[in-house]
Amino acid sequence: MRSLAFNIAYWLLSIGYTLAAVVAALAPGRHATGWIIRRYVRRMVQAMSLLAGIRLQYRGEERLPPGAFIIAAKHQSWGDGYSVYDRFDDLAFVTGDHLEKFPLMATVLRKLGAIVVNNCGGREAREALKDRAADAHAAGRRILIYPEGNLAKVGEKFRYRAGVWHMYRDFDMPVVPLATNLGLFWPQEAFRKHPGTATLEFLDPIPTGLPKDEFLARLEAAVEGRTAELIAEATGQPLAPAVRVLAPDEAARAAAVPA
C-alpha cells in the first residue's frame, strides 16, 4: 500500500507541477520556473518520507567547497535527482534526452537551463555537454552529473564516462564525489519502494589539475568505494565491491557485432 500511495502521489505531483512550470516558463528568466520546480522537488521528498517511508540523511555537507563546483554522483534510483536537487538553491544538472519523452518536459528543461545530452553518447552528446555546461558555468551555477550515464542496480557499476572530466578541465572547477545507497529503498525506476533511511554522502572534493586517467580513477574509487560501504552499513551484509557491467549503449553495440 505504501508503494501504491507514493506512486499515485508521484504522478499527481509530477503532472500538476509540470503544468505549472510550463505556465511559469512564459515569464522571462529562470526564476519563476525554478521556484515551481524547487517546490515540486520539496513535495516529492516529503512524499518519499510520509508515503513511501524513505527518509533521507545527508553526510559530508561541511566538505562542500565555496563557490561553484561539480557534483559527480552515483545513480541507483529515480529518486536520486530529487534528493540532491533539494539541497541546493540553483542547481544545473546533466540529464539524458529520455526525459524529453514526457510531454512538456522539454520546455521546462530548457527554461531551467538543464544540460540535456543524448543518452547514447557520441560526438553530438559531447558537444551538447560542452556548450550547455559552459552556459551554467558562466552563470556561476553548481552542476550535477551522473558519470555512469545510466541507472545502475545496487551492486553494479558502469564505465565512468569522460564528460565529467572535460567539464572539470575546461572550467577549472573542483569535483565533489557523491555516494549513496538510495537504490536499496527505491531501486532504479521500480514501482515497489522499501521503507528505511537512505544516506547520501558528499565526499572530499577532488582538486583541479589532475590528468584524465588519474581523475577518473580517483572519482570512481571514491564514489564506488563509499557507496559499497553505505550499502553494507544499511544491510548489515559484508562489504562487496560493485561489479562492472556493460551500459545499455555498450551492450547494444556488442550485440550488433557479427559473431
Side-chain angles (χ1 to χ4, degrees), residues 18 37 43 50 77 105 120 133-134 147 159 182 185 200 202 218 223 241 254:
T18 297
I37 294 301
R43 298 291 90 77
L50 297 174
S77 170
M105 276 303 298
C120 294
R159 175 176 62 87
L182 182 56
F185 309 96
L200 292 90
F202 298 97
R218 182 166 171 175
V223 172

Side-chain angles (χ1 to χ4, degrees), residues 44-172:
M44 194 65 75
V45 170
Q46 290 173 341
M48 288 170 63
S49 176
L50 297 174
L51 299 178
I54 301 172
R55 296 171 298 280
L56 301 175
Q57 67 171 351
Y58 298 87
R59 299 176 183 171
E61 289 181 295
E62 71 281 357
R63 299 185 177 116
L64 297 177
F69 53 84
I70 299 165
I71 303 167
K74 183 66 181 176
H75 200 15
Q76 296 176 333
S77 170
W78 197 248
D80 287 333
Y82 300 113
S83 59
V84 180
Y85 199 94
D86 189 46
R87 307 305 286 185
F88 299 92
D89 291 332
D90 187 21
L91 184 68
F93 55 93
V94 180
T95 182
D97 55 3
H98 62 285
L99 282 182
E100 293 185 330
K101 70 184 179 182
F102 296 103
L104 307 178
M105 276 303 298
T107 299
V108 175
L109 290 171
R110 282 196 299 270
K111 194 66 174 185
L112 283 175
I115 304 164
V116 182
V117 298
N118 189 310
N119 271 1
C120 294
R123 181 188 178 101
E124 183 179 341
R126 289 193 296 271
E127 290 300 319
L129 179 62
K130 178 180 178 180
D131 294 343
R132 295 167 188 171
D135 293 337
H137 173 61
R141 304 174 71 192
R142 293 156 179 173
I143 301 173
L144 169 65
I145 185 170
Y146 295 103
E148 295 167 280
N150 294 276
L151 278 167
K153 294 180 181 179
V154 170
E156 293 184 351
K157 66 178 179 179
F158 300 117
R159 175 176 62 87
Y160 275 52
R161 302 175 187 237
V164 62
W165 179 77
H166 288 291
M167 290 195 300
Y168 162 84
R169 179 199 61 186
D170 294 345
F171 305 149
D172 196 31

Side-chain angles (χ1 to χ4, degrees), residues 222-243:
V223 172
E224 296 297 336
R226 187 58 184 148
T227 291
E229 292 172 354
L230 293 177
I231 291 169
E233 178 183 313
T235 61
Q237 299 297 315
L239 183 67
V243 176

Side-chain angles (χ1 to χ4, degrees), residues 170-224:
D170 294 345
F171 305 149
D172 196 31
M173 294 167 67
V175 169
V176 177
L178 176 59
T180 180
N181 61 12
L182 182 56
L184 291 170
F185 309 96
W186 183 347
Q188 296 180 291
E189 300 176 75
F191 174 91
R192 186 172 181 80
K193 313 299 186 292
H194 309 284
T197 299
T199 301
L200 292 90
E201 184 168 346
F202 298 97
L203 307 176
D204 290 328
I206 299 175
T208 58
L210 296 181
K212 178 181 174 181
D213 290 346
E214 182 180 349
F215 167 80
L216 289 174
R218 182 166 171 175
L219 174 64
E220 180 175 344
V223 172
E224 296 297 336

